Structure formats: C-alpha cells, structure tokens
Amino acid sequence: MCTGWCEERCGNSAGGRWRGKRVDQSWLPFSLLFLVLWGQASPQCPASCLCSWDTATVQCSDAGLREIPEGIPPETVTLHLEHNYIRNLPESAFRDLVHLRDLYLSHNRIDSLATGALRHLGPELRLLDLSHNQLRQANREEFGSTRAKTRLYHNPWHCNCALQELMETLHLEPETVNGIICESSVRGMGEGSRWEDPGSQGEHAGQPLVKLLDSGVNFCSLHRKTTDVAMLVTMFVWFFMVIVYVVYYVRQNQAEARRHLEYLKSLPSPRKTPTETDTLSTGF
C-alpha cells in the first residue's frame, strides 16, 4: 500500500517517464527530415546494379543489360558491365566518369564503337576490358588517347591497316596479345584482287595479328597499294572517257561537215541573164 509520499514519488516518476517519452517523440520529425535530406544528397545506384560506396565500385555484371545504364555515380572507380547483352558504346556513355580506373565490358555483344566513345575516359583509367565481344573493326579515333592496359582478345577481327595502327597505339595487356586473331584480313598479292573485302577471309585468316606483324606483314602497305591501284584505275577510266568524247566530237563534226557540203551541192547553180551575155560579147 502506497503512502501519500509514495504516491507523489510514483506520480513524479510516471510523469518523468512520460515527459521523457514526449522528449524522445519530439526528435522523431527531425530524424525523419535528416534521413530524407541525407537520402537526397547521397548518390543513387542504377537499377539492376549493386553499389559499394566504400570502394566506389558499381557491379552491373550479369544483369541482362542491353545498353549502358544511366545514373552511374560520377565518383565510380571500378565499373563491372561484363556478361550482358550490350551491343554498342555511344559517345556519351562514360562522359561523367572522370575517376574511373577499371572498366570491364567483356562477354557482351559489342560490335561497334562510336567515334570517341572511350575518349571521355580520364587519364586515371588503368584497365579496359573489351574481350569476348563481336568487334570486327576499330581505329584510333574511337579509343582516343587512353593509355590504359587494354584487352581485345576473342573478337572476330578483320585485320587491316586501321587495326594495325590501333595495335601500335594501345597499351595492350601482354599476356592476351596472342588472342587477337584475324578472322579475316585484307586480300594479299596472290589472291587475284587487292581490293579490301571485309566479307572475304583473306590469306591471313586464323593467325594472330601480332605474329603477322612480327613476321613482316604490313597491312598499311597493302592498303597503300590498293589505293594506288584504285587511283590508276580511276585515271584510266577518266582518260578513256575523254578519248571517247573527243572521238565522238570529231565524228559528229565530220558528219555535220558532210551534210553541209551535200546541201551546198544540192543547191541549183545560178544562170546568167541575157544582159550579162550581151555585155560580155560586146566586150570581146
């Protein structure tokens, strides 16, 4: 049984607890507001991806993607996009990723690169993995000035002058260079035609590009010879057309001259009048 002092103390204790609860509840709106503001300020992770903020890694591999996802945080250092269905790289795909160091794009269906698609990657890029794709042709303009270690193996490459120049420019990963195989190549001297035909296999099909270059094969010299032949053929066709035109022009003029001469012959000869005859007779 509680005395009056006990009831007063119990009442004070209950009131203190109640006041404590009221104080705690008064912080609840501020806590919610803080969480909302913090959520708006924090970077968002793209759909179908997992983001690790402590390592600045965005994991989008094996996510069924058909294009580069939007909303990749600009602070991303490592980006995994391998094992998807991406077909091309647009020019603005990595424009905001200036801190990117490792870019994994292997095991996709990439068959084309927009001009300058990789140009926006910053100088911090250390690794660029484009292996196991469907790339057939590429040139230096598409890669820009990147100095990252690059993987290009397991692509159906068409070996030509542009690919040779790209090989000489990029910093290729040494252990993967032999995996850059020519599925087709420009036509050589003994193949009947030196016109570049991406649909034909060529004499170097199935051989590693680096070994061909080491053995002295120069696709750029073949390209220059093809260009020279094309120029000679063009000049010959132009010269032939000029000759044909000149011959046609001369023959047309001759025909016109003959017709004009025949017309003049067909005209009646002028007859002398009697007055003219008498004058001539008197003169004699």
Side-chain angles (χ1 to χ4, degrees):
M1 184 174 180
C2 186
T3 61
W5 175 84
C6 180
E7 291 177 355
E8 182 181 357
R9 185 175 181 181
C10 290
N12 291 336
S13 299
R17 287 195 298 271
W18 175 250
R19 285 194 298 271
K21 289 182 180 180
R22 290 182 63 184
V23 171
D24 291 340
Q25 289 180 354
S26 66
W27 281 98
L28 185 59
F30 296 100
S31 300
L32 293 176
L33 179 61
F34 173 77
L35 291 175
V36 171
L37 293 177
W38 182 84
Q40 292 178 351
S42 62
Q44 301 296 318
C45 190
S48 304
C49 300
L50 298 176
C51 298
S52 178
W53 306 119
D54 54 341
T55 60
T57 299
V58 178
Q59 182 66 253
C60 304
S61 58
D62 200 13
L65 299 175
R66 298 186 179 275
E67 58 185 12
I68 305 298
E70 298 181 357
I72 300 175
E75 298 81 8
T76 302
V77 173
T78 303
L79 178 58
H80 290 272
L81 291 166
E82 61 268 37
H83 293 280
N84 283 292
Y85 305 99
I86 301 171
R87 288 190 173 275
N88 56 71
L89 300 181
E91 185 173 356
S92 60
F94 310 107
R95 178 172 297 174
D96 300 326
L97 305 181
V98 295
H99 303 292
L100 196 63
R101 294 185 181 180
D102 302 299
L103 178 56
Y104 297 90
L105 289 162
S106 63
H107 294 88
N108 276 281
R109 299 178 180 178
I110 300 173
D111 56 9
S112 63
L113 304 173
T115 302
L118 306 172
R119 186 181 303 167
H120 301 291
L121 294 174
E124 298 182 11
L125 189 68
R126 302 176 303 183
L127 176 63
L128 174 60
D129 190 357
L130 283 166
S131 62
H132 295 275
N133 277 286
Q134 299 298 319
L135 290 170
R136 284 184 52 80
Q137 301 188 40
N139 55 57
R140 289 180 294 184
E141 287 74 16
E142 295 168 348
F143 282 81
S145 59
T146 179
R147 300 303 301 168
K149 184 181 294 184
T150 308
R151 299 172 182 172
L152 295 176
Y153 63 98
H154 283 295
N155 279 279
W157 290 111
H158 174 68
C159 294
N160 56 9
C161 181
L163 184 60
Q164 176 179 330
E165 292 178 344
L166 179 63
M167 289 275 292
E168 296 169 351
T169 302
L170 292 179
H171 181 204
L172 298 172
E173 191 175 49
E175 55 268 27
T176 64
V177 170
N178 289 330
I180 302 177
I181 308 296
C182 299
E183 181 170 298
S184 61
S185 70
V186 293
R187 295 180 142 240
M189 290 292 294
E191 296 184 285
S193 173
R194 284 179 285 180
W195 291 98
E196 182 176 341
D197 183 8
S200 63
Q201 294 298 313
E203 63 177 335
H204 305 300
Q207 302 182 46
L209 178 57
V210 64
K211 292 185 178 180
L212 291 173
L213 299 179
D214 290 341
S215 65
V217 175
N218 191 334
F219 293 103
C220 292
S221 65
L222 292 177
H223 178 72
R224 283 191 290 270
K225 291 178 181 179
T226 301
T227 304
D228 294 341
V229 171
M231 291 180 62
L232 289 174
V233 171
T234 303
M235 292 178 62
F236 175 78
V237 171
W238 180 82
F239 185 68
F240 178 76
M241 291 178 65
V242 170
I243 292 177
V244 170
Y245 176 76
V246 171
V247 171
Y248 173 78
Y249 180 77
V250 171
R251 289 185 175 180
Q252 284 293 108
N253 285 345
Q254 290 177 348
E256 288 292 335
R258 284 195 299 267
R259 284 196 295 268
H260 184 66
L261 183 59
E262 291 175 357
Y263 171 75
L264 293 177
K265 290 181 179 181
S266 65
L267 292 177
S269 60
R271 295 180 179 179
K272 295 180 180 181
T273 62
T275 305
E276 292 178 351
T277 305
D278 296 342
T279 304
L280 290 175
S281 301
T282 306
F284 284 108

